Amino acid sequence: MIEAVGLTKRYGAKTAVYNLSFQVRPGTVTGFLGPNGSGKSTTMRMILGLDQPTAGHVTVGGHPFRELPNAPRQVGALLDAKAVHGGRSARNHLLSLAQLSGIPAARVDEVLGVVGLQEVARRRSSGFSLGMGQRLGIAAALLGDPQVLLFDEPVNGLDPEGILWVRNLMKQLASEGRTVFVSSHLMSEMAVTAEHLIVIGRGQLLSDMSVRDFISHNSADFARVRPADTDPGAREKLVAALGEAGGQVLSERDGALRVTGLPLPRISDLAHESDVRLWELSPHQASLEEAYMRLTQNAVDYRSTADQLAGFAPPPQPGYGGQLYEPPVVPEVPTQGWYAPPPPGENPYASDGPPPAQAPAQAPAQAPVAPPVPPLKAAATAPAPVTAGPAPASAADLVKHVSDEKPDRTAKPDESDAKTETTEDAR
């Protein structure tokens, strides 16, 4: 079983996944749906330990993926079918993976037969088509015979026969008690493959329920009613009878009536009582695609300016709508070694004065203050202050000392050089 609790992943200022919690139980195929950029791939990478969550945690079988012993034998994944060395053959690619995990070489030939690549096992993978690459990626996921499997777009590039094969494979794996987690954008495939759905939008959980409940909660069921055209007044009589019984009637473009609020048997009885013949009376239930589009209308980041559905977004509802999809304000998570300065006035090491607790009880004795420096002219006759060390030189002495240090311009070059050498030696 896969269990995520409070998963949050931030890349700088962008929050890819925020406070995401769900469970993927064994024995069923769980679909993972969401618009592009909603955080599905990031979530799968965190499950497999490829990305470290900013907050929260995710476990596989009760343990983080990185702590699983010999993880390839417990978890199989297909995230990128192109992650194959093009110079290797299909068999050598799988054989290298098997040797790293201690899997017998006989298992390589077995999974090649399962995915249907036994005839091209010796060919380099660089010459594989997109569908063949998908089959090779599925073979790598099945190599360790794991109990938990994750697939990201497993039917991408497959032909109808390959799509049917993947559909049956997922159901077979789930029937064996394995945990199967599948991410896909093909609603038609999810409708016939998955039994449970986890839907996210902009990194947040939107729905976690069975496929049947998901369609029921995110669609408006109605009945299509078409009265016979032979009676000109039949349509008006039926609309009046349905309205008096509490039904809501809308006209469709093809001339049929869309009736909500009344069950089909009641509609049939009302038509019979009004002496109206019906040419059509059929229930309509939204498809998974319609329910998904209704739920995720406000969570789409990339929309064409010519999108005809742009103006058909459902009105905001409690727990949904604009408030749900506002970029979440994630509290800052301090990194290790991070230090926050104290508020102003509370820093004991500030330079504007010692802290009150360390202030002395009484002020110490005043140290003697040196007299002000007299003017330069009177400096020669001013008495030197009594100190423990030698008295500082007066201004006149400094002037005389500087004049003595000036080099003699009339000295010979060799004498000047000798003085320089003597000075350097003294240094």
Side-chain angles (χ1 to χ4, degrees), residues 199-213:
V199 185
I200 65 174
R202 295 185 179 173
Q204 295 179 276
L205 182 66
L206 301 184
S207 179
D208 185 357
M209 60 184 66
S210 66
V211 175
R212 179 175 300 179
D213 292 341

Side-chain angles (χ1 to χ4, degrees), residues 34-183:
N36 288 333
S38 60
K40 299 190 303 298
S41 297
T42 302
T43 302
M44 284 191 161
R45 290 179 61 84
M46 287 191 287
I47 294 174
L48 297 172
L50 300 176
D51 284 345
Q52 189 69 21
T54 306
H57 65 275
V58 58
T59 57
V60 179
H63 302 280
F65 181 85
R66 296 184 179 183
E67 298 180 6
L68 293 174
N70 202 349
R73 287 200 169 194
Q74 302 188 46
V75 181
L78 168 63
L79 298 186
D80 185 7
K82 297 181 180 179
V84 180
H85 193 290
R88 290 180 177 176
S89 64
R91 189 178 189 280
N92 286 340
H93 169 67
L94 296 178
L95 187 60
S96 63
L97 297 179
Q99 291 174 346
L100 290 173
S101 305
I103 299 173
R107 177 64 179 171
V108 173
D109 298 322
E110 183 179 344
V111 295
L112 284 171
V114 170
V115 300
L117 295 180
Q118 65 274 15
E119 299 296 332
V120 294
R122 304 289 180 178
R123 286 178 50 184
R124 291 186 177 182
S125 60
S126 59
F128 281 9
S129 64
L130 181 59
M132 295 168 66
Q134 289 292 113
R135 290 175 179 268
L136 182 58
I138 294 175
L142 299 176
L143 189 60
D145 195 22
Q147 290 296 315
V148 179
L149 294 121
L150 291 83
F151 298 100
D152 190 4
E153 301 291 347
V155 298
N156 186 25
L158 293 177
D159 55 12
E161 187 276 335
I163 293 176
L164 178 62
W165 166 73
V166 171
R167 183 193 310 165
N168 295 332
L169 175 65
M170 301 296 170
K171 292 182 178 181
Q172 177 185 350
L173 294 172
S175 66
E176 296 172 356
R178 306 175 195 260
T179 301
V180 183
F181 196 36
V182 185
S183 172

Side-chain angles (χ1 to χ4, degrees), residues 326-339:
E326 286 293 330
V329 179
V330 183
E332 291 292 337
V333 180
T335 58
Q336 187 175 5
W338 180 84
Y339 170 73

